[in-house]
Coordinates of all heavy atoms in Angstrom, one line a residue:
M4 N -13.2 7.5 -10.3 CA -13.9 7.3 -9.1 C -13.0 7.3 -7.9 O -11.9 6.7 -7.9 CB -14.6 5.9 -9.1 CG -15.4 5.5 -7.9 SD -16.2 3.9 -8.2 CE -17.3 3.9 -6.9
F5 N -13.3 8.0 -6.8 CA -12.5 8.1 -5.6 C -12.3 6.7 -5.0 O -13.3 6.0 -4.8 CB -13.1 9.1 -4.6 CG -12.3 9.3 -3.4 CD1 -11.2 10.1 -3.5 CD2 -12.6 8.7 -2.2 CE1 -10.4 10.3 -2.4 CE2 -11.9 8.9 -1.1 CZ -10.7 9.7 -1.1
G6 N -11.1 6.4 -4.7 CA -10.8 5.2 -4.0 C -10.6 4.0 -4.9 O -10.6 2.8 -4.5
S7 N -10.7 4.2 -6.3 CA -10.7 3.1 -7.2 C -9.4 2.4 -7.1 O -9.3 1.2 -7.6 CB -11.0 3.6 -8.6 OG -10.1 4.4 -9.0
G8 N -8.3 3.0 -6.7 CA -7.0 2.4 -6.6 C -6.8 1.6 -5.3 O -5.7 1.1 -5.2
T9 N -7.8 1.5 -4.4 CA -7.5 0.8 -3.2 C -8.1 -0.6 -3.3 O -9.2 -0.8 -3.9 CB -8.2 1.5 -2.0 OG1 -9.6 1.7 -2.2 CG2 -7.6 2.9 -1.9
A10 N -7.5 -1.5 -2.7 CA -8.0 -2.8 -2.6 C -7.4 -3.6 -1.4 O -6.3 -3.2 -1.0 CB -7.7 -3.6 -3.9
A11 N -8.0 -4.6 -1.0 CA -7.4 -5.4 0.1 C -6.3 -6.3 -0.5 O -6.5 -6.9 -1.5 CB -8.5 -6.2 0.7
H12 N -5.2 -6.3 0.2 CA -4.1 -7.2 -0.2 C -3.7 -8.1 0.9 O -3.7 -7.6 2.1 CB -2.9 -6.3 -0.6 CG -3.2 -5.5 -1.8 ND1 -3.1 -6.0 -3.1 CD2 -3.4 -4.1 -1.9 CE1 -3.3 -5.0 -3.9 NE2 -3.6 -3.9 -3.3
T13 N -3.5 -9.3 0.6 CA -2.9 -10.2 1.6 C -1.5 -10.5 1.2 O -1.2 -10.9 0.1 CB -3.8 -11.5 1.6 OG1 -5.1 -11.2 1.9 CG2 -3.3 -12.5 2.7
S14 N -0.6 -10.3 2.1 CA 0.8 -10.7 1.9 C 1.2 -11.8 2.7 O 0.8 -12.1 3.8 CB 1.6 -9.4 2.3 OG 1.2 -8.3 1.6
A15 N 2.2 -12.6 2.1 CA 2.7 -13.7 2.8 C 4.1 -13.3 3.3 O 4.9 -12.7 2.6 CB 2.9 -14.9 1.9
V16 N 4.4 -13.6 4.5 CA 5.7 -13.4 5.1 C 6.6 -14.6 4.8 O 6.4 -15.7 5.4 CB 5.7 -13.0 6.6 CG1 7.1 -12.8 7.1 CG2 4.8 -11.8 6.8
T17 N 7.5 -14.5 3.9 CA 8.3 -15.7 3.5 C 9.6 -15.8 4.4 O 10.1 -16.8 4.5 CB 8.7 -15.6 2.0 OG1 9.4 -14.3 1.8 CG2 7.5 -15.7 1.1
D18 N 10.0 -14.6 4.9 CA 11.2 -14.6 5.8 C 10.9 -13.8 7.0 O 11.0 -12.6 7.0 CB 12.4 -14.0 5.0 CG 13.7 -14.0 5.8 OD1 13.7 -14.7 6.9 OD2 14.7 -13.4 5.3
P19 N 10.5 -14.5 8.1 CA 10.1 -13.8 9.3 C 11.2 -13.0 9.9 O 11.0 -11.9 10.5 CB 9.7 -14.9 10.2 CG 9.3 -16.1 9.4 CD 10.2 -16.0 8.2
G20 N 12.4 -13.4 9.8 CA 13.6 -12.7 10.3 C 13.7 -11.3 9.6 O 13.9 -10.3 10.3
A21 N 13.6 -11.3 8.3 CA 13.7 -10.1 7.6 C 12.5 -9.2 7.9 O 12.7 -8.0 8.0 CB 13.9 -10.3 6.1
F22 N 11.4 -9.8 8.0 CA 10.2 -9.0 8.3 C 10.2 -8.3 9.7 O 9.9 -7.1 9.8 CB 9.0 -10.0 8.3 CG 7.6 -9.3 8.7 CD1 7.0 -8.4 7.7 CD2 7.0 -9.5 9.8 CE1 5.8 -7.8 8.0 CE2 5.8 -8.9 10.1 CZ 5.2 -8.1 9.2
A23 N 10.8 -9.0 10.6 CA 10.9 -8.5 12.0 C 12.0 -7.3 12.0 O 11.9 -6.3 12.6 CB 11.3 -9.5 12.9
Q24 N 13.1 -7.5 11.3 CA 14.2 -6.5 11.2 C 13.8 -5.3 10.4 O 14.3 -4.2 10.7 CB 15.5 -7.2 10.6 CG 16.1 -8.1 11.6 CD 17.4 -8.8 11.0 OE1 17.6 -8.6 9.8 NE2 18.1 -9.5 11.8
S25 N 12.9 -5.4 9.5 CA 12.5 -4.3 8.6 C 11.7 -3.3 9.3 O 11.5 -2.2 8.9 CB 11.8 -4.8 7.3 OG 10.6 -5.3 7.7
G26 N 11.0 -3.7 10.4 CA 10.2 -2.8 11.1 C 8.8 -2.7 10.5 O 8.0 -1.9 11.0
Q27 N 8.4 -3.6 9.5 CA 7.1 -3.5 8.9 C 6.1 -4.0 9.9 O 4.9 -3.7 9.7 CB 7.1 -4.4 7.7 CG 7.9 -3.8 6.5 CD 8.0 -4.8 5.3 OE1 7.6 -5.9 5.4 NE2 8.5 -4.3 4.2
W28 N 6.5 -4.8 10.8 CA 5.5 -5.3 11.8 C 4.9 -4.2 12.7 O 3.9 -4.4 13.3 CB 6.1 -6.4 12.7 CG 7.3 -5.8 13.5 CD1 8.6 -5.8 13.1 CD2 7.2 -5.3 14.8 NE1 9.3 -5.2 14.1 CE2 8.5 -4.9 15.1 CE3 6.2 -5.1 15.7 CZ2 8.8 -4.3 16.4 CZ3 6.5 -4.6 16.9 CH2 7.8 -4.2 17.3
I29 N 5.6 -3.1 12.8 CA 5.2 -2.0 13.8 C 3.8 -1.5 13.3 O 3.0 -1.3 14.2 CB 6.3 -0.9 13.8 CG1 7.5 -1.4 14.4 CG2 5.8 0.3 14.6 CD1 8.8 -0.5 14.3
S30 N 3.6 -1.1 12.1 CA 2.3 -0.6 11.7 C 1.2 -1.7 11.9 O 0.1 -1.3 12.3 CB 2.3 -0.2 10.2 OG 2.7 -1.2 9.4
I31 N 1.6 -2.9 11.7 CA 0.6 -4.0 11.9 C 0.2 -4.1 13.4 O -1.0 -4.1 13.8 CB 1.1 -5.4 11.4 CG1 1.3 -5.3 9.9 CG2 0.2 -6.5 11.9 CD1 2.0 -6.5 9.3
A32 N 1.2 -4.0 14.3 CA 1.0 -4.1 15.7 C 0.2 -2.8 16.2 O -0.8 -3.0 17.0 CB 2.3 -4.1 16.4
I33 N 0.4 -1.7 15.6 CA -0.3 -0.4 16.0 C -1.8 -0.7 15.5 O -2.7 -0.3 16.3 CB 0.3 0.8 15.4 CG1 1.6 1.1 16.1 CG2 -0.6 2.0 15.5 CD1 2.4 2.2 15.4
G34 N -2.0 -1.2 14.4 CA -3.4 -1.4 13.9 C -4.1 -2.5 14.8 O -5.3 -2.2 15.1
V35 N -3.4 -3.5 15.1 CA -4.1 -4.5 16.0 C -4.4 -3.9 17.3 O -5.5 -4.1 17.8 CB -3.1 -5.7 16.1 CG1 -3.6 -6.7 17.3 CG2 -3.0 -6.5 14.8
V36 N -3.5 -3.2 18.0 CA -3.8 -2.6 19.3 C -4.9 -1.6 19.2 O -5.8 -1.6 20.0 CB -2.5 -2.0 19.8 CG1 -2.8 -1.1 21.1 CG2 -1.4 -3.0 20.2
T37 N -4.9 -0.8 18.1 CA -6.0 0.2 18.0 C -7.4 -0.5 17.8 O -8.4 -0.1 18.4 CB -5.7 1.1 16.7 OG1 -4.5 1.7 16.9 CG2 -6.8 2.1 16.5
A38 N -7.4 -1.5 17.0 CA -8.7 -2.2 16.8 C -9.1 -2.9 18.1 O -10.3 -2.9 18.4 CB -8.5 -3.3 15.7
L39 N -8.2 -3.4 18.8 CA -8.4 -4.1 20.1 C -9.0 -3.1 21.1 O -10.0 -3.4 21.8 CB -7.2 -4.8 20.6 CG -7.4 -5.6 22.0 CD1 -8.4 -6.7 21.8 CD2 -6.1 -6.1 22.5
V40 N -8.4 -1.9 21.2 CA -8.9 -0.9 22.1 C -10.3 -0.4 21.8 O -11.2 -0.4 22.6 CB -7.9 0.3 22.2 CG1 -8.5 1.5 22.9 CG2 -6.6 -0.1 22.9
V41 N -10.5 -0.2 20.5 CA -11.9 0.2 20.1 C -12.9 -0.9 20.4 O -14.0 -0.6 20.9 CB -11.9 0.6 18.6 CG1 -13.3 0.8 18.1 CG2 -11.0 1.8 18.4
S42 N -12.6 -2.1 20.0 CA -13.5 -3.2 20.3 C -13.7 -3.4 21.8 O -14.9 -3.6 22.2 CB -12.9 -4.5 19.7 OG -13.8 -5.6 19.9
L43 N -12.8 -3.5 22.6 CA -12.9 -3.6 24.0 C -13.7 -2.5 24.6 O -14.6 -2.7 25.5 CB -11.6 -3.7 24.8 CG -10.8 -5.0 24.5 CD1 -9.5 -5.0 25.2 CD2 -11.6 -6.2 25.0
T44 N -13.5 -1.2 24.1 CA -14.3 -0.1 24.7 C -15.8 -0.3 24.4 O -16.6 -0.1 25.2 CB -13.8 1.2 24.1 OG1 -12.3 1.4 24.4 CG2 -14.5 2.4 24.6
K45 N -16.0 -0.6 23.1 CA -17.4 -0.8 22.7 C -18.1 -1.9 23.4 O -19.2 -1.8 23.9 CB -17.5 -1.1 21.2 CG -17.4 0.1 20.3 CD -17.4 -0.2 18.8 CE -18.8 -0.7 18.5 NZ -18.9 -0.9 17.0
S46 N -17.4 -3.0 23.5 CA -18.0 -4.2 24.2 C -18.1 -4.0 25.7 O -18.9 -4.7 26.4 CB -17.2 -5.4 24.0 OG -15.9 -5.3 24.6
T47 N -17.4 -3.0 26.3 CA -17.6 -2.7 27.7 C -18.7 -1.6 27.9 O -19.6 -1.7 28.8 CB -16.3 -2.1 28.3 OG1 -15.3 -3.1 28.1 CG2 -16.4 -1.8 29.8
V48 N -18.7 -0.6 27.1 CA -19.6 0.6 27.2 C -21.0 0.2 26.8 O -22.0 0.6 27.5 CB -19.0 1.8 26.5 CG1 -20.1 2.9 26.4 CG2 -17.8 2.3 27.1
R49 N -21.1 -0.5 25.7 CA -22.5 -0.8 25.2 C -23.4 -1.5 26.2 O -24.5 -1.1 26.5 CB -22.4 -1.7 23.9 CG -22.1 -0.9 22.7 CD -23.3 -0.1 22.2 NE -23.0 0.5 21.0 CZ -23.9 0.7 20.0 NH1 -25.1 0.2 20.1 NH2 -23.5 1.4 18.9
P50 N -23.0 -2.7 26.7 CA -23.8 -3.4 27.6 C -24.1 -2.5 28.9 O -25.2 -2.5 29.4 CB -23.1 -4.6 28.0 CG -22.1 -4.8 27.0 CD -21.7 -3.5 26.4
A51 N -23.1 -1.8 29.4 CA -23.4 -1.0 30.6 C -24.3 0.1 30.3 O -25.2 0.4 31.1 CB -22.0 -0.4 31.1
A52 N -24.2 0.8 29.2 CA -25.1 1.9 28.8 C -26.5 1.3 28.6 O -27.5 1.9 29.0 CB -24.6 2.6 27.6
N53 N -26.7 0.2 28.0 CA -28.0 -0.5 27.7 C -28.7 -0.9 29.1 O -29.9 -0.7 29.2 CB -27.9 -1.7 26.8 CG -27.6 -1.3 25.4 OD1 -27.9 -0.2 25.0 ND2 -27.0 -2.2 24.6
V54 N -27.9 -1.4 29.9 CA -28.5 -1.8 31.3 C -28.8 -0.5 32.0 O -29.9 -0.5 32.7 CB -27.4 -2.6 32.1 CG1 -27.8 -2.8 33.5 CG2 -27.3 -4.0 31.4
A55 N -28.0 0.5 32.0 CA -28.2 1.7 32.9 C -29.4 2.5 32.3 O -30.1 3.2 33.1 CB -27.0 2.6 32.9
T56 N -29.6 2.5 31.0 CA -30.7 3.3 30.4 C -31.8 2.5 29.8 O -32.7 3.1 29.1 CB -30.1 4.2 29.3 OG1 -29.6 3.4 28.2 CG2 -29.0 5.1 29.8
A57 N -31.9 1.2 30.1 CA -32.9 0.3 29.5 C -33.0 0.3 28.0 O -34.0 0.3 27.4 CB -34.3 0.7 30.1
G58 N -31.8 0.5 27.4 CA -31.7 0.5 26.0 C -31.8 1.8 25.2 O -31.7 1.8 24.0
I59 N -32.2 2.8 26.0 CA -32.4 4.1 25.3 C -31.1 4.7 24.8 O -31.1 5.4 23.8 CB -33.1 5.1 26.3 CG1 -34.4 4.5 26.7 CG2 -33.2 6.5 25.8 CD1 -35.2 5.3 27.8
A60 N -30.0 4.4 25.4 CA -28.7 5.0 25.0 C -28.2 4.3 23.7 O -27.3 4.8 23.1 CB -27.7 4.8 26.1
A61 N -28.7 3.2 23.3 CA -28.1 2.5 22.2 C -28.1 3.3 20.9 O -27.1 3.5 20.2 CB -28.9 1.2 21.9
P62 N -29.2 4.0 20.5 CA -29.2 4.8 19.3 C -28.3 6.0 19.5 O -27.7 6.4 18.5 CB -30.6 5.3 19.1 CG -31.5 4.5 20.0 CD -30.6 3.9 21.1
V63 N -28.2 6.6 20.7 CA -27.3 7.7 20.8 C -25.9 7.3 20.7 O -25.1 7.9 20.0 CB -27.6 8.3 22.3 CG1 -26.5 9.4 22.6 CG2 -29.0 8.8 22.4
L64 N -25.5 6.2 21.3 CA -24.1 5.7 21.2 C -23.8 5.3 19.7 O -22.8 5.6 19.2 CB -23.9 4.4 22.0 CG -23.8 4.7 23.5 CD1 -23.8 3.3 24.3 CD2 -22.7 5.6 23.9
S65 N -24.8 4.7 19.0 CA -24.6 4.4 17.6 C -24.4 5.7 16.8 O -23.5 5.7 15.9 CB -25.8 3.6 17.1 OG -25.6 3.3 15.7
A66 N -25.2 6.7 17.0 CA -25.0 8.0 16.3 C -23.6 8.6 16.6 O -22.9 9.1 15.7 CB -26.1 9.0 16.7
V67 N -23.2 8.5 17.9 CA -21.9 9.1 18.3 C -20.8 8.3 17.5 O -19.8 8.9 17.1 CB -21.7 9.0 19.8 CG1 -20.3 9.4 20.2 CG2 -22.6 10.1 20.5
E68 N -20.9 7.0 17.5 CA -19.9 6.2 16.8 C -19.9 6.5 15.3 O -18.8 6.7 14.7 CB -20.2 4.7 16.9 CG -20.0 4.2 18.3 CD -20.5 2.8 18.5 OE1 -21.1 2.2 17.5 OE2 -20.4 2.3 19.6
D69 N -21.0 6.7 14.7 CA -21.1 7.1 13.2 C -20.5 8.4 13.0 O -19.7 8.6 12.1 CB -22.5 7.0 12.7 CG -23.1 5.7 12.7 OD1 -22.3 4.7 12.8 OD2 -24.3 5.5 12.6
V70 N -20.8 9.5 13.9 CA -20.2 10.8 13.7 C -18.7 10.8 13.9 O -18.0 11.4 13.1 CB -20.9 11.8 14.6 CG1 -20.2 13.1 14.7 CG2 -22.4 12.0 14.2
T71 N -18.3 10.1 14.9 CA -16.8 9.9 15.1 C -16.1 9.3 13.9 O -15.1 9.7 13.5 CB -16.6 9.1 16.4 OG1 -17.3 9.8 17.5 CG2 -15.1 9.0 16.7
S72 N -16.7 8.2 13.4 CA -16.1 7.5 12.2 C -16.0 8.4 11.0 O -14.9 8.5 10.4 CB -16.9 6.3 11.9 OG -16.9 5.4 12.9
V73 N -17.1 9.2 10.7 CA -17.1 10.1 9.6 C -16.0 11.2 9.9 O -15.2 11.6 9.0 CB -18.5 10.7 9.4 CG1 -18.4 11.9 8.4 CG2 -19.4 9.6 8.9
A74 N -16.0 11.8 11.1 CA -15.0 12.8 11.4 C -13.5 12.3 11.3 O -12.7 13.0 10.7 CB -15.2 13.3 12.8
L75 N -13.3 11.1 11.7 CA -11.9 10.5 11.6 C -11.5 10.3 10.1 O -10.4 10.5 9.7 CB -11.8 9.3 12.4 CG -11.8 9.5 13.9 CD1 -11.8 8.1 14.6 CD2 -10.6 10.3 14.4
V76 N -12.6 9.9 9.3 CA -12.3 9.7 7.9 C -11.9 11.1 7.2 O -11.0 11.1 6.5 CB -13.4 9.1 7.2 CG1 -13.3 9.2 5.7 CG2 -13.6 7.6 7.6
F77 N -12.6 12.1 7.6 CA -12.4 13.4 7.0 C -11.0 13.9 7.5 O -10.2 14.5 6.7 CB -13.4 14.4 7.4 CG -14.6 14.4 6.5 CD1 -15.9 14.1 7.0 CD2 -14.5 14.5 5.1 CE1 -17.0 14.1 6.2 CE2 -15.6 14.4 4.3 CZ -16.9 14.2 4.8
L78 N -10.7 13.7 8.7 CA -9.3 14.0 9.3 C -8.3 13.3 8.6 O -7.2 13.8 8.3 CB -9.3 13.8 10.8 CG -9.9 14.9 11.6 CD1 -9.9 14.5 13.1 CD2 -9.3 16.2 11.5
A79 N -8.5 12.0 8.4 CA -7.4 11.2 7.7 C -7.2 11.7 6.2 O -6.0 11.6 5.7 CB -7.9 9.7 7.6
I80 N -8.2 12.2 5.6 CA -8.0 12.8 4.3 C -7.5 14.3 4.3 O -6.6 14.6 3.6 CB -9.3 12.8 3.5 CG1 -9.8 11.3 3.2 CG2 -9.2 13.6 2.2 CD1 -11.2 11.1 2.8
L81 N -8.0 15.0 5.4 CA -7.7 16.5 5.4 C -6.3 16.7 6.0 O -5.6 17.7 5.5 CB -8.8 17.2 6.3 CG -8.7 18.7 6.3 CD1 -8.9 19.3 4.9 CD2 -9.8 19.2 7.3
V82 N -5.9 16.0 7.0 CA -4.6 16.3 7.6 C -3.4 16.2 6.7 O -2.6 17.2 6.7 CB -4.4 15.4 8.8 CG1 -3.0 15.5 9.4 CG2 -5.4 15.8 10.0
P83 N -3.3 15.2 5.8 CA -2.2 15.2 4.9 C -2.2 16.5 3.9 O -1.2 17.0 3.5 CB -2.3 13.9 4.1 CG -3.1 13.0 5.0 CD -4.0 13.9 5.7
V84 N -3.4 16.8 3.5 CA -3.6 18.0 2.7 C -3.2 19.2 3.4 O -2.4 20.1 2.8 CB -5.0 18.1 2.1 CG1 -5.3 19.4 1.4 CG2 -5.4 17.0 1.3
L85 N -3.6 19.4 4.6 CA -3.1 20.5 5.4 C -1.6 20.6 5.7 O -1.0 21.7 5.7 CB -3.8 20.5 6.8 CG -5.3 20.8 6.8 CD1 -6.0 20.7 8.1 CD2 -5.6 22.2 6.2
V86 N -1.0 19.4 5.8 CA 0.5 19.4 6.0 C 1.1 19.9 4.7 O 2.1 20.6 4.7 CB 0.9 17.9 6.3 CG1 2.4 17.8 6.1 CG2 0.4 17.6 7.7
L87 N 0.6 19.4 3.5 CA 1.1 19.9 2.2 C 0.9 21.4 2.1 O 1.9 22.0 1.7 CB 0.4 19.1 1.1 CG 0.9 19.5 -0.3 CD1 2.3 19.1 -0.5 CD2 0.0 18.8 -1.3
V88 N -0.2 21.9 2.5 CA -0.4 23.4 2.4 C 0.6 24.1 3.4 O 1.2 25.1 3.0 CB -1.8 23.7 2.8 CG1 -2.0 25.2 3.0 CG2 -2.8 23.3 1.7
A89 N 0.8 23.5 4.6 CA 1.7 24.1 5.5 C 3.2 24.1 5.0 O 3.9 25.1 5.2 CB 1.7 23.4 6.9
V90 N 3.6 23.1 4.3 CA 4.9 23.0 3.8 C 5.1 24.0 2.7 O 6.1 24.7 2.6 CB 5.2 21.5 3.2 CG1 6.4 21.5 2.4 CG2 5.4 20.5 4.4
V91 N 4.1 24.1 1.8 CA 4.2 25.1 0.7 C 4.2 26.5 1.3 O 5.0 27.4 0.9 CB 2.9 25.0 -0.2 CG1 2.8 26.2 -1.2 CG2 3.0 23.7 -1.0
A92 N 3.4 26.8 2.3 CA 3.4 28.1 3.0 C 4.8 28.3 3.7 O 5.3 29.4 3.6 CB 2.3 28.2 4.1
L93 N 5.4 27.3 4.2 CA 6.7 27.5 4.9 C 7.8 27.8 3.9 O 8.6 28.6 4.0 CB 7.1 26.2 5.7 CG 8.3 26.2 6.4 CD1 8.3 27.3 7.5 CD2 8.6 24.9 7.1
V94 N 7.7 27.1 2.7 CA 8.7 27.3 1.7 C 8.5 28.7 1.1 O 9.5 29.5 0.9 CB 8.6 26.3 0.5 CG1 9.3 26.7 -0.8 CG2 9.0 24.9 1.0
W95 N 7.3 29.2 0.9 CA 7.0 30.6 0.4 C 7.5 31.6 1.4 O 8.1 32.6 1.0 CB 5.5 30.7 0.3 CG 5.1 32.1 -0.2 CD1 5.2 32.7 -1.4 CD2 4.5 33.1 0.7 NE1 4.7 33.9 -1.3 CE2 4.3 34.3 -0.1 CE3 4.2 33.1 2.1 CZ2 3.8 35.4 0.5 CZ3 3.7 34.3 2.6 CH2 3.5 35.5 1.8
A96 N 7.3 31.3 2.7 CA 7.8 32.3 3.8 C 9.3 32.4 3.8 O 9.9 33.4 3.9 CB 7.3 31.9 5.2
V97 N 10.0 31.2 3.7 CA 11.4 31.2 3.7 C 11.9 32.0 2.4 O 12.9 32.7 2.5 CB 12.0 29.8 3.7 CG1 13.5 29.7 3.4 CG2 11.6 29.1 5.1
L98 N 11.4 31.7 1.3 CA 11.8 32.4 0.1 C 11.6 33.9 0.2 O 12.5 34.7 -0.2 CB 11.1 31.9 -1.1 CG 11.4 30.5 -1.6 CD1 10.6 30.0 -2.7 CD2 12.9 30.4 -2.0
R99 N 10.5 34.3 0.8 CA 10.3 35.7 1.0 C 11.3 36.4 2.0 O 11.8 37.5 1.7 CB 8.8 35.9 1.6 CG 8.4 37.3 1.5 CD 6.9 37.4 1.8 NE 6.5 38.8 2.0 CZ 5.4 39.2 2.1 NH1 4.3 38.4 2.0 NH2 5.1 40.5 2.2
I100 N 11.6 35.7 3.0 CA 12.6 36.2 4.0 C 13.9 36.3 3.3 O 14.7 37.3 3.5 CB 12.7 35.3 5.3 CG1 11.4 35.4 6.0 CG2 13.9 35.6 6.1 CD1 11.2 34.4 7.2
V101 N 14.3 35.3 2.6 CA 15.6 35.3 1.9 C 15.7 36.5 0.9 O 16.7 37.2 0.8 CB 15.9 34.0 1.1 CG1 17.1 34.1 0.2 CG2 16.1 32.9 2.2
R102 N 14.6 36.7 0.2 CA 14.6 37.9 -0.8 C 14.7 39.2 -0.1 O 15.4 40.1 -0.6 CB 13.3 37.8 -1.7 CG 13.4 36.7 -2.7 CD 12.1 36.7 -3.5 NE 12.1 35.5 -4.4 CZ 11.0 35.0 -4.9 NH1 9.8 35.5 -4.7 NH2 11.1 34.0 -5.8
R103 N 14.0 39.3 1.0 CA 14.1 40.6 1.8 C 15.5 40.8 2.3 O 16.0 41.9 2.2 CB 13.1 40.6 3.0 CG 11.7 40.8 2.6 CD 10.9 41.0 3.8 NE 9.5 41.1 3.5 CZ 8.6 41.1 4.4 NH1 8.8 41.0 5.7 NH2 7.3 41.3 4.0
R104 N 16.1 39.8 2.8 CA 17.5 39.9 3.3 C 18.4 40.3 2.2 O 19.4 41.1 2.4 CB 18.0 38.6 4.0 CG 17.3 38.5 5.3 CD 17.9 37.4 6.1 NE 17.2 37.3 7.4 CZ 17.5 36.4 8.4 NH1 18.5 35.6 8.1 NH2 16.9 36.4 9.5
R105 N 18.3 39.7 1.1 CA 19.1 40.0 -0.1 C 18.9 41.5 -0.5 O 19.9 42.2 -0.9 CB 18.8 39.1 -1.3 CG 19.4 37.7 -1.1 CD 19.2 36.9 -2.4 NE 19.7 35.5 -2.1 CZ 19.4 34.5 -2.9 NH1 18.7 34.6 -4.0 NH2 19.9 33.3 -2.6
R106 N 17.7 41.9 -0.6 CA 17.4 43.3 -0.9 C 18.0 44.3 0.1 O 18.6 45.3 -0.3 CB 15.9 43.6 -1.0 CG 15.3 43.1 -2.2 CD 13.8 43.5 -2.4 NE 13.1 42.5 -3.1 CZ 11.9 42.1 -2.8 NH1 11.2 42.6 -1.7 NH2 11.3 41.2 -3.4
K107 N 17.9 43.9 1.3 CA 18.5 44.8 2.4 C 20.0 44.8 2.2 O 20.7 45.8 2.4 CB 18.2 44.3 3.8 CG 16.7 44.8 4.2 CD 16.5 44.3 5.7 CE 15.2 44.7 6.1 NZ 14.9 44.3 7.6
A108 N 20.6 43.6 2.0 CA 22.0 43.6 1.9 C 22.5 44.4 0.6 O 23.5 45.1 0.7 CB 22.5 42.1 1.8
A109 N 21.7 44.3 -0.5 CA 22.1 45.0 -1.7 C 21.9 46.5 -1.6 O 22.7 47.3 -2.0 CB 21.2 44.5 -2.9
S110 N 20.9 46.9 -0.8 CA 20.7 48.3 -0.6 C 21.7 48.9 0.4 O 22.1 50.1 0.3 CB 19.2 48.6 -0.1 OG 19.1 48.0 1.2
S111 N 22.2 48.2 1.4 CA 23.1 48.7 2.3 C 24.5 48.7 1.7 O 25.3 49.6 2.1 CB 23.1 47.8 3.6 OG 23.6 46.5 3.3
Q112 N 24.8 47.8 0.8 CA 26.1 47.9 0.0 C 26.1 49.0 -0.9 O 27.2 49.6 -1.2 CB 26.3 46.5 -0.6 CG 26.7 45.4 0.4 CD 26.9 44.1 -0.3 OE1 26.7 44.0 -1.6 NE2 27.2 43.1 0.4
G113 N 25.0 49.3 -1.5 CA 24.9 50.3 -2.5 C 25.0 51.7 -1.9 O 25.3 52.7 -2.6
S114 N 24.7 51.9 -0.7 CA 24.6 53.2 -0.1 C 26.0 53.7 0.3 O 27.0 53.2 0.6 CB 23.8 53.3 1.2 OG 22.7 52.5 1.2

């Protein structure tokens, strides 16, 4: 089953000094800031849109949020795969160039 290896984990920080020096807090801070920005945007836009449109915009905003969430999930899955494909293509291109240069060098030495 897809995602069967994922689970929520709670970690305890036993040594705050080592935690701060290791840089592990950076990803946590980025996650907190991202969640805060999304939450503040929603809590600001939703009431304004509902007041301005007498509640008609609520389903539209909800649909836009859902589509955006699904798109971001697909991007989160697709981008690493595309990076892997790009790395494989780059290695293939480099090998091809090296082989061509070796052939040219061998043919110019043989003439």
Side-chain angles (χ1 to χ4, degrees):
M4 177 178 195
F5 181 75
S7 62
T9 61
H12 294 281
T13 303
S14 299
V16 177
T17 56
D18 185 7
F22 178 73
Q24 289 178 349
S25 70
Q27 293 175 348
W28 63 272
I29 296 172
S30 59
I31 294 171
I33 290 171
V35 167
V36 170
T37 302
L39 182 63
V40 167
V41 169
S42 179
L43 289 176
T44 302
K45 282 178 67 173
S46 65
T47 304
V48 171
R49 281 282 184 145
N53 286 336
V54 168
T56 64
I59 296 173
V63 174
L64 288 175
S65 181
V67 168
E68 289 170 1
D69 292 344
V70 169
T71 303
S72 294
V73 169
L75 289 175
V76 167
F77 280 123
L78 282 175
I80 294 169
L81 186 63
V82 167
V84 173
L85 290 177
V86 168
L87 181 62
V88 169
V90 167
V91 169
L93 182 63
V94 168
W95 177 77
V97 167
L98 289 175
R99 191 169 173 170
I100 290 170
V101 168
R102 287 180 184 161
R103 281 187 185 173
R104 289 189 177 181
R105 285 184 182 167
R106 281 188 213 140
K107 279 185 180 181
S110 66
S111 67
Q112 289 177 357
S114 324

